[in-house]
Amino acid sequence: MLVKDFSNLGYGCGLRPAHTSHLISQKPTSIDWLEALAENYLDWSDGRQVSALENLENLRNHYPIALHGVSLSLGSTDPLDREHLKRLAKLIHRIEPAWFSDHLCWTGVDGKNLHDLFPLPYTEEAIRHVVENICRTQDFLGQRILIENVSSYVTFASSQMPEWEFLCEIARRSDCGLLLDINNVYVSSRNHGFNPKDYLDAIPIDRIGQIHLAGHRDKGDHLIDTHDAPVCEAVWELYRDFTAAKGPFTTMIEWDDAIPPWERMEEEVRRARTIGGILHVRTDSDTQSASTRI
């Protein structure tokens, strides 16, 4: 059985170039860990990752790092990209991240990356296909991974079950962990008219390795997951209710566009820490106790 410890790392944020120099020079204690976008650090043929990778290794000496991917395309009908997996495995070996995550979606077809996270039909056939790809990925990497629920703007007439049942069944059959994006749950609930609390109530807490919180744009009759704004009050309320009922989880703030000054990012992380209900301090005993979650 593949084993990967999804310990509680506390409260953090996404590593973005606008904040990298500050993080390296100041090493702020307002965050406990960082999430890095894996594709920014892969071994590309043109060597463009060299300086970025050096910065990541520098920060790895001071903070736990989780790697987050956007290119596995676990739901695509294309076979898994073995060259991508090789580069990913090399990065994981070098950085030794707390874990690696990617999305429950497809990102391309016929060898073309469309650079978006497309939803899947919620069917038994899709479950079997994605589970096979996750298991192959985990076998290749030699560890369990986390899969993240995506925001969506269309549904499929062929779907046989709600999204949360689809997600949970894939996690159960593949024995992977879950990266629960509460903002994505809220965005999809508004776009498709379901109750986000029904979604969150269905998620098995023993599968959750991490939570994402982010901002979005309200277009009136629909929401768009943009990651370019503060977390909205409705998402904070969902997060508050969820953590109050089910306990603290490793949590991070995603802010990928219109990135604010570091001080504003710290405000969001501090709010997550306050609502999450625990002041996380990285100690050996804390890591050991948290490691029993999954």
Side-chain angles (χ1 to χ4, degrees), residues 74-128:
L74 293 166
S76 175
T77 55
D78 284 359
L80 290 171
D81 184 342
R82 291 186 66 83
E83 290 304 314
H84 178 76
L85 283 173
K86 287 177 182 178
R87 289 195 295 269
L88 182 58
K90 182 178 179 181
L91 177 65
I92 288 173
H93 178 75
R94 181 166 180 172
I95 298 300
E96 297 183 327
W99 52 72
F100 170 76
S101 61
D102 208 298
H103 300 80
L104 180 56
C105 70
W106 60 281
T107 61
V109 67
D110 291 335
K112 300 184 186 301
N113 191 332
L114 302 176
H115 301 288
D116 211 334
L117 307 175
F118 298 103
L120 293 160
Y122 307 137
T123 64
E124 174 62 29
E125 180 182 15
I127 288 175
R128 291 195 300 267

Side-chain angles (χ1 to χ4, degrees), residues 7 22 76 90 122-123 135 147 153 158 181 211 235 259 270 277:
S7 301
H22 176 80
S76 175
K90 182 178 179 181
Y122 307 137
T123 64
C135 289
I147 57 169
Y153 312 95
S158 59
D181 191 312
I211 287 177
V235 171
I259 296 174
R270 288 193 179 103

Side-chain angles (χ1 to χ4, degrees), residues 4-272:
K4 184 61 181 178
D5 171 23
F6 302 128
S7 301
N8 192 334
L9 300 182
Y11 301 87
C13 64
L15 174 60
R16 302 296 177 258
H19 299 145
T20 299
S21 61
H22 176 80
L23 289 166
I24 290 174
S25 64
Q26 301 300 315
K27 302 176 183 60
T29 58
S30 53
I31 58 168
D32 301 314
W33 66 285
L34 291 162
E35 181 186 82
L37 184 64
E39 283 76 7
N40 288 343
Y41 305 94
L42 295 183
D43 186 15
W44 301 108
S45 59
D46 60 7
R48 56 190 153 128
Q49 90 291 358
V50 172
S51 61
L53 188 55
E54 290 174 351
N55 288 334
L56 184 61
E57 289 183 309
N58 185 317
L59 290 168
R60 179 65 181 85
N61 292 329
H62 302 282
Y63 300 102
I65 300 290
L67 291 175
H68 187 51
V70 294
S71 301
L72 276 184
S73 200
L74 293 166
S76 175
T77 55
D78 284 359
L80 290 171
D81 184 342
R82 291 186 66 83
E83 290 304 314
H84 178 76
L85 283 173
K86 287 177 182 178
R87 289 195 295 269
L88 182 58
K90 182 178 179 181
L91 177 65
I92 288 173
H93 178 75
R94 181 166 180 172
I95 298 300
E96 297 183 327
W99 52 72
F100 170 76
S101 61
D102 208 298
H103 300 80
L104 180 56
C105 70
W106 60 281
T107 61
V109 67
D110 291 335
K112 300 184 186 301
N113 191 332
L114 302 176
H115 301 288
D116 211 334
L117 307 175
F118 298 103
L120 293 160
Y122 307 137
T123 64
E124 174 62 29
E125 180 182 15
I127 288 175
R128 291 195 300 267
H129 178 70
V130 173
V131 166
E132 182 178 4
N133 279 340
I134 292 174
C135 289
R136 287 179 175 176
T137 298
Q138 293 182 142
D139 287 342
F140 190 95
L141 298 178
Q143 64 182 51
R144 296 163 73 204
I145 66 172
L146 302 176
I147 57 169
E148 178 184 354
N149 58 296
V150 299
S151 56
S152 61
Y153 312 95
V154 297
T155 57
F156 293 85
S158 59
S159 289
Q160 301 164 342
M161 64 195 78
E163 180 186 342
W164 50 92
E165 184 177 325
F166 180 75
L167 173 69
C168 293
E169 186 62 13
I170 287 173
R172 184 187 70 81
R173 294 192 200 180
S174 65
D175 194 32
C176 71
L178 295 175
L179 196 172
L180 178 62
D181 191 312
I182 294 181
N183 179 67
N184 287 351
V185 171
Y186 180 73
V187 167
S188 295
S189 75
R190 283 279 304 273
N191 290 342
H192 305 311
F194 63 79
N195 187 335
K197 293 185 178 181
D198 290 341
Y199 194 125
L200 296 176
D201 287 344
I203 303 299
I205 62 172
D206 61 338
R207 289 279 172 196
I208 301 172
Q210 180 184 337
I211 287 177
H212 271 176
L213 300 171
H216 58 258
R217 290 292 179 94
D218 190 336
K219 297 296 184 177
D221 60 349
H222 67 284
L223 305 182
I224 300 178
D225 181 36
T226 54
H227 296 184
D228 64 354
V231 179
C232 78
E233 291 303 318
V235 171
W236 282 125
E237 182 179 348
L238 288 172
Y239 178 63
R240 180 182 294 107
D241 292 346
F242 187 76
T243 54
K246 302 189 177 184
F249 299 92
T250 300
T251 300
M252 61 88 67
I253 303 295
E254 285 189 295
W255 204 321
D256 299 332
D257 201 4
I259 296 174
W262 173 250
E263 292 74 19
R264 181 66 186 89
M265 180 68 77
E266 283 183 310
E267 291 177 13
E268 293 287 281
V269 176
R270 288 193 179 103
R271 187 170 184 184

